Amino acid sequence: MAPRYVLGISAFYHDSAACLLRDGDIAAAAQEERFTRRKGDASFPQHSVRYCLQAAGIRPSDLAYVGFYDKPLLKFERILESYLGVAPRGFAQFRMAGPLWMKEKLFLGDEIRRALGYEGEILYAEHHESHAASAFFPSPFEEAAILTIDGVGEWATAAFGVGRGHDLELLQELHWPDSLGLLYSALTYFTGFKVNSGEYKVMGLAPYGEPKYVDVIYRELVDVRADGSFTLNQKYFNYLTGLTMTNEAFAELFGGPPRVPESKLTQREMDIAKSIQVVCEEIMLRMARTVHHETGMDDLCLAGGVALNCVANGRILREGPFRRLWIQPAAGDAGGALGVAQLIWHRYLNQVRALKPETDGMHGAYLGPEFAPEEIAAYLDSVGAVCERLERRCRLQRVAELLAQEKVVGWFDGRMEFGPRALGARSILGDPRSPSMQAQMNLKIKFREGFRPFAPSVLRERVRDYFELDCDSPYMLLVAPVTQERQIPMTPEQRRLWGIHQLNVVRSDIPAVTHIDYSARIQTVSRDTNPNYYDLIKEFERLTGCAVLVNTSFNVRGEPIVCTPADAYRCFMRTHIDYLVVGPFLLDKAQQPEWKESGEWQREFQLD
Ligand SMILES: [Fe+2]
């Protein structure tokens, strides 16, 4: 029998994406931003759809169903009711949201059919059902509790339920405007970072601060109940009514106006970051306990943008009542495309799951485009790049040697990752033992804030030799401490260093991936999902005794992760990356012809 294909789409909010299932198995998935090079691109994911269809070698008419990840009418109703409920203050926001929604969202079915050239049926799932499906169906669990937490979908801002076999049921939800995602985003905005992408920076900044504002947050902003549900005090927020997230009353609580983006970070921002992080962790832990109590399940699946808070996830794993935890790597709205496709396959078409208890159904999240050596060669040739083609064994040896010499290597290999983290397919790699690697990579390669920590990739079987963790963390969504034996205690003088100056204190024998609180955001690497990356780390271990590499995403600040060989070469030439590996080719920066570029780009990214 010919295979059946289901296409899932998420779009028009943030992180548009497409995902294609072939007989229920994930054949392809990608985010639109990677193709259009616009970070968080929310437009109709035409490039992603085209890629998915091409990867499977099918036409739109071959699709059995198309699914959309939320219900636009319900969402519109929420916007309208919020607007009416607080009118006339809401006018600014409504005006902004109105026309786009009328045009693109309410007539969405026609829009999708037209854009795809598809005539068949389009099904809509609820936003949190899509998140829940993306959390449970690809998980390794036969049955599990599910918790989804994000900014907002139609009305829900968090939901929990149970997945069993090939079905799932959501039991309870929390409603707009009480939203943990929006609370975190409000503080992200207030500390001068971009909403929807800067949350990660706030989490990274938190260890430099003191939880000074926790009491203020609990007293004034959020009334948390024992079960983890809460009410936000709307007196302080502007997102119902205005275009900024917080108002003057909010600023008074935190001793003055929001930090101007790009201005100097002060202790206040660090203390705010620490405080909101503490509150977020506490709410998530309470929610997890409630979900455990209500469902009686041993294992938990997580999705929704807030599930990218890997510090909180690490605490749920260590302190929460669940035995195991599985987190969807594309936890944000991009993952909704996967979720709705799986809802159609399992629930609507009543198809059983092909359970993979040893790993999961994500194929390591390597679901994006890949490029044949001939295609790569043709591109490199076209720009006059100087490269060497090496057979696999020799290539891995050479790269491991270069890394051991503290060279920074751009590593472009195989299918691109689905989800916000680079997992060894579109990564920049370095030696974690080097005390200067963190500063070097932040400032000379990523052009980003010096405070931000880097993540380690570690061989799965060696994880507990380095970290207080002994389970899979294939998607870099769990944070755990570096083992006690590897930690280097700070001297009293070092402890007295102010905030960010602690950055240069060597804290372990893998300093480049040890955050100032001795934590690390861990990716465990298994041979079955990424043999090249696994063998590279293995080779590095053979040379150095160290089974860990620094892994950061292959991009510069403000830019989406690279997708094509052209993106990779451009990023390589614009930064201080020393070597580039693209498929079978190795490139030395010193041998490349001069890279000519207009001043435009320089200005653009510096301003981001
Ligand atoms: Fe969402």
Side-chain angles (χ1 to χ4, degrees):
M1 210 169 86
R4 276 195 291 176
Y5 292 95
V6 177
L7 180 74
I9 288 172
S10 63
F12 304 134
Y13 194 37
H14 33 79
D15 296 334
S16 292
C19 172
L20 185 72
L21 303 185
R22 183 198 292 115
D23 284 338
D25 183 50
I26 310 170
Q31 267 170 263
E32 190 67 2
E33 63 161 27
R34 304 290 168 87
F35 303 98
T36 61
R37 314 304 301 153
R38 283 196 297 270
K39 199 166 183 182
D41 197 339
S43 57
F44 184 82
Q46 50 171 326
H47 302 86
S48 313
V49 169
R50 194 178 308 141
Y51 152 68
C52 286
L53 298 181
Q54 261 169 16
I58 61 168
R59 294 181 304 271
S61 56
D62 297 323
L63 294 168
Y65 288 95
V66 171
F68 191 74
Y69 86 129
D70 70 7
K71 294 190 171 159
L73 274 170
L74 271 178
K75 208 160 171 179
F76 185 68
E77 175 195 282
R78 180 201 14 109
I79 293 231
L80 201 61
E81 286 197 12
S82 305
Y83 160 64
L84 293 174
V86 293
R89 291 191 303 165
F91 196 60
Q93 193 194 29
F94 181 64
R95 253 206 323 209
M96 291 296 287
L100 175 77
W101 285 64
M102 298 298 277
K103 186 163 73 74
E104 308 213 55
K105 300 205 177 179
L106 297 185
F107 304 105
L108 192 65
D110 293 343
E111 182 95 355
I112 292 175
R113 280 196 194 83
R114 197 173 46 75
L116 290 183
Y118 163 80
E119 319 245 293
E121 205 164 346
I122 296 172
L123 302 171
Y124 300 85
E126 285 192 25
H127 191 103
H128 275 260
E129 271 187 328
S130 295
H131 278 315
S134 77
F136 175 65
F137 289 133
S139 80
F141 309 137
E142 166 65 28
E143 57 174 33
I146 307 166
L147 173 61
T148 63
I149 314 172
D150 69 357
V152 65
E154 296 93 355
W155 282 99
T157 59
F160 71 85
V162 173
R164 276 196 187 87
H166 64 285
D167 201 7
L168 65 85
E169 186 190 6
L170 289 181
L171 301 169
Q172 289 186 37
E173 58 186 24
L174 202 61
H175 272 187
W176 165 269
D178 298 319
S179 161
L180 183 55
L182 287 178
L183 175 66
Y184 208 99
S185 292
L187 274 302
T188 299
Y189 160 79
F190 193 79
T191 45
F193 298 109
K194 268 190 188 161
V195 169
N196 291 332
S197 61
E199 285 76 3
Y200 229 66
K201 301 182 188 177
V202 173
M203 191 183 74
L205 192 61
Y208 296 98
E210 296 294 326
K212 273 187 192 162
Y213 297 100
V214 167
D215 292 345
V216 174
I217 294 175
Y218 281 133
R219 195 178 63 235
E220 298 291 335
L221 297 184
V222 54
D223 182 18
V224 186
R225 291 175 279 275
D227 65 359
S229 68
F230 56 87
T231 309
L232 292 188
N233 186 350
Q234 292 306 319
K235 182 177 141 193
Y236 293 107
F237 296 96
N238 228 13
Y239 55 77
L240 278 178
T241 55
L243 293 175
T244 59
M245 297 206 72
T246 61
N247 60 21
E248 275 169 29
F250 188 102
E252 264 168 41
L253 295 180
F254 295 96
R259 170 182 163 250
V260 175
E262 301 303 310
S263 64
K264 202 169 177 319
L265 280 165
T266 67
Q267 191 62 40
R268 180 184 75 145
E269 283 78 50
M270 299 176 197
D271 294 341
I272 292 175
K274 177 68 178 181
S275 305
I276 184 57
Q277 181 61 28
V278 165
V279 169
C280 178
E281 289 168 23
E282 183 56 35
I283 291 176
M284 285 177 75
L285 281 167
R286 284 192 196 192
M287 283 182 172
R289 284 196 289 269
T290 302
V291 173
H292 185 258
H293 182 258
E294 295 289 317
T295 64
M297 292 281 154
D298 290 332
D299 301 318
L300 177 67
C301 300
L302 284 176
V306 180
L308 295 170
N309 194 310
C310 38
V311 178
N313 296 345
R315 283 195 64 191
I316 291 177
L317 183 68
R318 285 191 298 277
E319 301 168 40
F322 289 98
R323 190 180 52 171
R324 290 178 298 176
L325 191 56
W326 191 86
I327 308 145
Q328 165 57 238
D333 280 1
L338 164 60
V340 65
Q342 288 179 314
L343 276 172
I344 293 171
W345 182 254
H346 295 299
R347 183 185 275 176
Y348 191 77
L349 299 173
N350 200 25
Q351 298 290 319
V352 295
R353 280 162 76 208
L355 204 64
K356 292 185 184 143
E358 291 307 310
T359 55
D360 60 41
M362 289 300 295
H363 303 288
Y366 306 109
L367 299 165
E370 63 182 335
F371 298 84
E374 305 71 51
E375 279 177 277
I376 299 169
Y379 169 75
L380 293 176
D381 225 31
S382 75
V383 289
V386 179
C387 64
E388 213 182 331
R389 183 172 182 150
L390 299 170
E391 61 89 21
R392 183 178 186 276
R393 204 181 142 66
C394 176
R395 185 169 75 248
L396 297 180
Q397 275 172 359
R398 280 280 293 281
V399 175
E401 279 163 17
L402 292 168
L403 289 166
Q405 295 158 17
E406 297 192 21
K407 303 293 183 204
V408 175
V409 179
W411 175 259
F412 181 107
D413 189 54
R415 298 185 73 174
M416 183 177 71
E417 303 87 347
F418 183 50
R421 305 278 81 84
L423 303 168
R426 304 287 184 275
S427 292
I428 299 172
L429 308 177
D431 184 342
R433 302 167 305 158
S434 159
S436 63
M437 192 53 73
Q438 185 177 359
Q440 190 191 337
M441 287 175 91
N442 265 328
L443 303 174
K444 288 168 75 179
I445 288 151
K446 304 278 286 192
F447 303 112
R448 70 180 199 180
E449 301 88 340
F451 71 84
R452 296 182 61 190
F454 286 105
S457 292
V458 58
L459 298 178
R460 169 62 186 93
E461 68 273 18
R462 296 290 312 276
V463 64
R464 64 176 179 174
D465 298 334
Y466 290 88
F467 308 102
E468 307 277 339
L469 184 83
D470 193 16
C471 65
D472 292 340
S473 178
Y475 308 120
M476 214 182 259
L477 286 168
L478 290 172
V479 165
V482 171
T483 56
Q484 205 83 59
E485 310 83 72
R486 291 183 185 274
Q487 294 184 11
I488 302 171
M490 284 203 270
T491 63
E493 296 82 67
Q494 288 170 335
R495 266 181 214 290
R496 277 195 293 277
L497 286 172
W498 174 80
I500 241 156
H501 295 289
Q502 293 185 1
L503 181 71
N504 299 321
V505 177
V506 172
R507 248 168 250 95
S508 77
D509 62 354
I510 41 171
V513 293
T514 306
H515 206 1
I516 65 152
D517 58 356
Y518 296 101
S519 70
R521 178 161 46 90
I522 300 157
Q523 180 199 4
T524 57
V525 181
S526 303
R527 200 169 194 289
D528 31 309
T529 48
N530 194 338
N532 284 352
Y533 193 41
Y534 178 91
D535 287 350
L536 174 67
I537 305 174
K538 195 90 187 151
E539 191 59 33
F540 185 75
E541 184 193 24
R542 201 184 57 77
L543 279 180
T544 65
C546 175
V548 179
L549 287 178
V550 181
N551 171 10
T552 185
S553 53
F554 199 153
N555 63 333
V556 292
R557 182 181 178 206
E559 183 197 57
I561 295 175
V562 301
C563 176
T564 64
D567 299 336
Y569 188 71
R570 196 182 312 122
C571 188
F572 169 58
M573 293 306 292
R574 283 168 169 179
T575 60
H576 292 84
I577 298 174
D578 300 305
Y579 288 84
L580 172 66
V581 177
V582 201
F585 302 99
L586 177 68
L587 292 82
D588 177 347
K589 173 68 68 59
Q591 293 177 359
Q592 302 309 309
E594 198 194 339
W595 180 253
K596 291 199 187 69
E597 191 146 22
S598 70
E600 283 298 300
W601 183 82
Q602 287 288 341
R603 280 206 300 278
E604 241 174 69
F605 88 80
Q606 295 287 8
L607 283 173
D608 177 77

